Amino acid sequence: MLGFGLNKGYLCLVLQETLLSPQLHSDVDVGVETIKYVLMGEGAGSIFNIDENTGDIHATKRLDREEQAYYTLKAQAIDRQTNKSVEPESEFIIKVQDINDNEPKFLDGPYIAGIPEMSPVGTSVMQVTATDADDPTYGNSARVIYSILTGQPYFSVEPKTGIIRTALPNMDREAKDQYILVIQAKDMVGLMGGLSGTTSVTVTLTDVNDNPPRFPRKSEQYYVPESLPVGSTVARIKAADADIGQNAEMEYKIVDGDGEGVFKINVDKGTQEGIVAINKELDYETKFSYTLRIEASNKHVDNRFLSVGPFMDTTTVKITVEDVDEPPVFSQRLYTMVESEAAKIGSSIGTVTAHDPDSSHSSVRYSIDRNTDLERYFNIDANSGLITIAKPLDRETNAVHNITVLAIESQNPAQIGKGYVAISILDINDNAPEFAMEYETNVCENAPPGQVIQEISAVDKDEPLNGHWFYFSLPPDASSINFTLQDNKDNTASVITKRNGFRRQEQSVFYLPIVIVDSGTPSLSSTNTLTIRVCDCDADGIAQTCNAEAYTLPAGLSTGALIAILACVLTLLVLVLLIVTMRRRKKEPLIFDEERDVRENIVRYDDEGGGEEDTEAFDMTTLRNLNIIRDNKSRRDVTPEIQFLSRPSLRSAPDNLIFREFIWERLKEADVDPCAPPYDSLQTYAFEGNGSVAESLSSLGSISSNSEHNYDYLSDWGPRFKRLADMYGTVEDNLYS
């Protein structure tokens, strides 16, 4: 019992976790219940209660030091009548005294550890740690001792530190690779009455290379057909190794036997098997049995365990080759032969040979695979294998012939061997030289003598060893006063003018024969004709036109024909003027709407004529496109007696020249053509020449194809005929001039 009057400061009450019943008392209290005790602070009213009459302090529930070890409280003594404090307020601390009520716990458990197999005794595995929530400064409640409950005699644990160590030597992973230990921690220094806790520790033994490879059998037997190709697998062997991972990785090699070089061995990294494969072709007739001594060893060796024994093992592999019926085999895989393209049919080129590799040595017959000799240039003797020429050879067509020869076993025709023959054709000089291209040669009318108008070269299909060399000349009997030829001594020649000036009216085309001789043995020559056209050129020497017809009047055209043409034009002009006058009287417009039909020619007959055939006398498309080749259309009601070829297209030239050529061509055709319209018909052509901005005078292009016909179409021909009259007048003047 503490009195407030005697202790004017902090008081400390030490209480156990299981029992609490202290009492406070004031010296003023005389026992007649005039004083009331009041408690304040941590836990007052919830954990701690005070009897206001006696001052006894009671705990309402069990105290736990691990939750709170100290409580700070305040107490007062109050006069019941005045309700005033009779003593100064006093503060005191209640300290909870610890008892052993918590067992040790392994907060990090359960544990997993690993150590190499064959570890020596005392090898540290790991350290375990247990914690006790009791007060380590009071008694032995928190003092822990470790012990091993399960795992003996293989492992032990240090009591104070909790370090686990191996207890037996040479623990073999291959015998047992995992151990489960149970470790106990007990407080009170392990004395009777102490609390304890346990945890588990899983210890795994890791592998070390302590086991050598071992073959399960000391000898193996395998049978292999001789027809297996190189690279085929003939055997798979494996040495057993109790280790795992990289400690079980193997290496195999052939260390002895008569099969070295014929067979090879590799490792399958996935299965660690040794794969025996064929390294050279097998032949039963040559050797039918092989013996191999194969060694297996660990790839990674641990020197600590070399005392166990050699980390390798050997086995014997016997391989027996089985006989199979094989196809014939040629003495060479590829035969190369050479023959001249001048060789005659039936000439021998060379011989191929094949034999049956089997012990029966059957006879062989030969043939040519026609899929490689489609043209059947060659034949082969079925018995001897002699290859001969069946057709004339031409190096320029095919310089090398690659053929396949078949060798067929007589006793078993299904067995067929293949041989390959490359026949190279030697060149002879059997092709004459010729122009390298088709030359288009022009000469200007004003060309001076000595002017080079063309350089020519030659080609030859032959291939001489020293290359081509050509010689150019004019034939001796074809001397020309117009042109000469100069051999440039470099496989080219120059054509040179020999006279001063040319006239198209006299001769528009010259044909110059040129002799080309090659340098072969014997040499060959050819005569090639060079076509030279005389052209009208501008000041820069550029050809404008090379057509001579525009300067020559046709023999059938007379002055009367021209007068007749002009008279017809004037007649039509008068007719049009009459129609225009009638239109004006009716006050109708001279210009049609776009939907009205417009005719491009007027055809008048004094007899019934040929009807619609006369309207086909010409094609307006041809008039608009003079550069297009003109096709003559024949009358279907008249059988023509003379066939005419279409004329070539006119080259670009000034409009006056083109127009004059056009008129003369039409006049010539009309004079001699039996398919022309009746002679009393008149054909008019509205032509403005090339390059006209207005293009054709025809108004057909402005009329839609689906418009209704209107035959009042001559009202707009007045201005056109005036232009036609002007043009024809110009033509007449030009012609007579």
Side-chain angles (χ1 to χ4, degrees):
M1 182 176 70
L2 298 174
F4 285 107
L6 299 176
N7 299 283
K8 303 297 185 185
Y10 292 100
L11 299 178
C12 182
L13 298 178
V14 180
L15 305 177
Q16 288 187 342
E17 293 178 277
T18 57
L19 178 64
L20 179 62
S21 183
Q23 184 182 36
L24 297 179
H25 184 74
S26 175
D27 295 338
V28 181
D29 187 359
V30 294
V32 291
E33 298 183 357
T34 58
I35 301 300
K36 180 176 68 172
Y37 295 96
V38 179
L39 186 64
M40 298 171 292
E42 289 180 306
S46 58
I47 299 176
F48 304 103
N49 287 331
I50 190 169
D51 188 327
E52 64 179 14
N53 295 320
T54 63
D56 294 335
I57 300 175
H58 303 278
T60 60
K61 61 181 182 180
R62 181 184 177 88
L63 299 179
D64 188 357
R65 188 200 66 84
E66 285 70 41
E67 291 184 2
Q68 189 165 346
Y70 298 92
Y71 295 92
T72 302
L73 298 173
K74 295 179 181 180
Q76 279 187 334
I78 299 174
D79 189 299
R80 291 181 181 273
Q81 292 182 357
T82 61
N83 202 28
K84 292 183 178 180
S85 175
V86 297
E87 291 282 354
E89 183 182 273
S90 181
E91 183 179 89
F92 62 94
I93 297 174
I94 296 178
K95 179 181 179 182
V96 181
Q97 183 177 326
D98 185 40
I99 62 173
N100 190 19
D101 59 344
N102 291 279
E103 72 278 5
K105 294 182 179 180
F106 294 91
L107 301 181
D108 297 328
Y111 298 90
I112 298 176
I115 59 169
E117 62 174 332
M118 299 297 177
S119 295
V121 175
T123 300
S124 175
V125 178
M126 69 175 305
Q127 183 179 16
V128 296
T129 302
T131 58
D132 195 319
D134 294 326
D135 188 359
T137 63
Y138 179 77
N140 295 323
S141 299
R143 296 182 62 185
V144 178
I145 296 296
Y146 299 96
S147 62
I148 183 168
L149 301 182
T150 302
Q152 294 175 329
Y154 304 102
F155 299 93
S156 64
V157 62
E158 293 183 359
K160 293 183 178 180
T161 62
I163 297 175
I164 301 173
R165 299 182 183 275
T166 58
L168 283 180
N170 301 327
M171 286 189 290
D172 191 2
R173 184 201 66 81
E174 288 72 35
K176 185 177 182 179
D177 62 349
Q178 194 174 81
Y179 298 86
I180 298 178
L181 314 180
V182 176
I183 306 298
Q184 183 189 69
K186 190 174 183 180
D187 60 12
M188 298 297 292
V189 200
L191 298 177
M192 186 70 67
L195 302 179
S196 64
T198 60
T199 188
S200 65
V201 180
T202 301
V203 180
T204 301
L205 298 182
T206 59
D207 185 56
V208 297
N209 193 8
D210 59 337
N211 292 279
R214 291 291 180 264
F215 283 107
R217 289 177 294 276
K218 289 301 180 180
S219 66
E220 301 280 354
Q221 179 73 48
Y222 297 94
Y223 296 89
V224 180
E226 65 173 334
S227 59
L228 278 181
V230 173
S232 300
T233 299
V234 298
R236 298 177 76 95
I237 60 175
K238 184 177 182 180
D241 193 326
D243 297 320
I244 60 174
Q246 71 172 13
N247 295 323
E249 292 182 1
M250 299 285 184
E251 288 182 339
Y252 296 90
K253 61 182 178 179
I254 300 174
V255 295
D256 198 3
D258 56 3
E260 291 186 80
V262 181
F263 300 93
K264 62 181 179 179
I265 188 168
N266 295 313
V267 180
D268 185 333
K269 295 183 179 180
T271 63
Q272 294 302 313
E273 292 178 303
I275 302 174
V276 182
I278 301 174
N279 194 40
K280 293 182 179 180
E281 291 184 353
L282 302 178
D283 186 8
Y284 172 84
E285 288 72 27
T286 303
K287 187 175 180 60
F288 61 87
S289 180
Y290 297 91
T291 300
L292 306 176
R293 187 164 174 263
I294 298 176
E295 177 186 278
S297 60
N298 278 140
K299 189 174 181 180
H300 307 281
V301 178
D302 193 334
N303 295 328
R304 296 176 300 171
F305 303 102
L306 291 178
S307 59
V308 177
F311 277 76
M312 49 79 66
D313 195 15
T314 60
T315 186
T316 301
V317 176
K318 295 181 179 180
I319 300 175
T320 300
V321 180
E322 297 177 328
D323 187 27
V324 296
D325 192 4
E326 299 175 276
V329 178
F330 282 88
S331 59
Q332 295 178 223
R333 182 170 180 81
L334 175 64
Y335 294 86
T336 57
M337 301 179 183
V338 178
E339 187 56 84
S340 171
E341 64 177 328
K344 297 181 179 180
I345 295 176
S347 300
S348 299
I349 299 179
T351 303
V352 297
T353 57
H355 70 280
D356 181 11
D358 298 319
S359 57
S360 60
H361 299 295
S362 299
S363 60
V364 174
R365 295 182 63 83
Y366 302 94
S367 67
I368 294 177
D369 185 356
R370 292 306 177 185
N371 291 325
T372 60
D373 186 26
L374 298 177
E375 301 296 329
R376 297 180 176 267
Y377 282 104
F378 307 98
N379 290 328
I380 189 170
D381 188 277
N383 297 316
S384 65
L386 177 65
I387 299 175
T388 57
I389 299 174
K391 291 178 62 175
L393 302 178
D394 185 10
R395 188 206 62 83
E396 287 71 38
T397 302
N398 197 344
V400 178
H401 294 267
N402 294 299
I403 63 174
T404 301
V405 178
L406 306 178
I408 305 171
E409 189 177 318
S410 298
Q411 295 182 0
N412 185 4
Q415 296 296 331
I416 301 175
K418 290 185 177 182
Y420 304 96
V421 182
I423 303 174
S424 299
I425 309 302
L426 297 179
D427 185 38
I428 62 172
N429 192 26
D430 59 343
N431 290 276
E434 58 187 12
F435 279 158
M437 58 181 292
E438 185 177 349
Y439 294 100
E440 293 184 1
T441 305
N442 298 327
V443 61
C444 295
E445 287 184 309
N446 56 354
Q451 179 180 352
V452 177
I453 61 172
Q454 182 70 62
E455 280 201 0
I456 59 174
S457 60
V459 293
D460 195 324
K461 295 180 181 178
D462 297 319
E463 289 185 358
L465 295 177
N466 299 323
H468 289 293
W469 193 258
F470 301 113
Y471 304 92
F472 302 88
S473 64
L474 296 178
D477 57 347
S479 59
S480 175
I481 63 172
N482 301 301
F483 305 98
T484 186
L485 186 69
Q486 174 183 307
D487 192 334
N488 298 325
K489 307 301 182 181
D490 60 355
N491 283 346
T492 65
S494 300
V495 179
I496 305 173
T497 58
K498 199 173 181 180
R499 75 178 198 183
N500 188 9
F502 297 85
R503 290 181 60 81
R504 282 183 295 166
Q505 295 89 335
E506 296 177 357
Q507 186 172 348
S508 62
V509 178
F510 292 91
Y511 300 99
L512 183 65
I514 298 176
V515 177
I516 308 175
V517 183
D518 63 19
S519 57
T521 305
S523 61
L524 296 179
S525 65
S526 66
T527 301
N528 300 261
T529 301
L530 181 68
T531 301
I532 305 173
R533 297 184 181 277
V534 181
C535 299
D536 179 25
C537 303
D538 58 13
D540 297 327
I542 299 176
Q544 299 298 310
T545 180
C546 299
N547 194 330
E549 295 182 3
Y551 292 90
T552 304
L553 292 176
L557 185 62
S558 62
T559 305
L562 292 176
I563 296 174
I565 292 173
L566 295 176
C568 291
V569 171
L570 293 176
T571 302
L572 289 176
L573 181 59
V574 172
L575 180 60
V576 170
L577 292 175
L578 291 175
I579 295 174
V580 170
T581 304
M582 295 174 65
R583 285 287 186 182
R584 288 180 177 176
R585 291 179 180 179
K586 295 180 179 181
K587 297 182 180 180
E588 292 184 359
L590 294 178
I591 301 175
F592 294 150
D593 295 332
E594 290 185 356
E595 290 81 13
R596 297 186 180 181
D597 189 15
V598 177
R599 297 297 178 91
E600 294 296 337
N601 63 312
I602 299 175
V603 181
R604 177 183 176 186
Y605 299 102
D606 288 337
D607 56 8
E608 294 185 13
E612 292 184 357
E613 295 296 337
D614 294 317
T615 63
E616 297 180 357
F618 67 95
D619 184 1
M620 283 305 299
T621 303
T622 304
L623 292 177
R624 293 174 179 171
N625 300 278
L626 290 179
N627 292 332
I628 299 176
I629 295 176
R630 305 181 181 92
D631 295 330
N632 293 324
K633 294 185 177 181
S634 60
R635 287 276 299 269
R636 291 194 293 269
D637 57 346
V638 179
T639 302
E641 297 178 356
I642 302 175
Q643 299 293 331
F644 291 88
L645 297 176
S646 59
R647 290 183 174 275
S649 61
L650 297 173
R651 297 191 179 184
S652 176
D655 284 348
N656 59 341
L657 295 178
I658 294 175
F659 186 76
R660 286 184 296 189
E661 292 179 4
F662 169 71
I663 292 298
W664 285 120
E665 287 177 10
R666 286 301 185 183
L667 288 175
K668 286 169 60 179
E669 290 175 0
D671 286 344
V672 298
D673 189 0
C675 302
Y679 296 105
D680 58 349
S681 65
L682 176 64
Q683 302 179 44
T684 61
Y685 304 95
F687 174 76
E688 294 182 8
N690 289 342
S692 172
V693 178
E695 298 183 352
S696 174
L697 293 175
S698 172
S699 59
L700 284 176
S702 63
I703 306 300
S704 64
S705 60
N706 56 359
S707 62
E708 295 182 358
H709 290 289
N710 186 340
Y711 293 98
D712 297 331
Y713 55 84
L714 295 176
S715 60
D716 62 343
W717 276 75
R720 298 189 181 188
F721 273 109
K722 183 177 184 303
R723 281 184 287 177
L724 283 173
D726 295 339
M727 285 190 291
Y728 278 115
T730 303
V731 171
E732 181 182 5
D733 295 338
N734 290 335
L735 290 176
Y736 282 105
S737 62

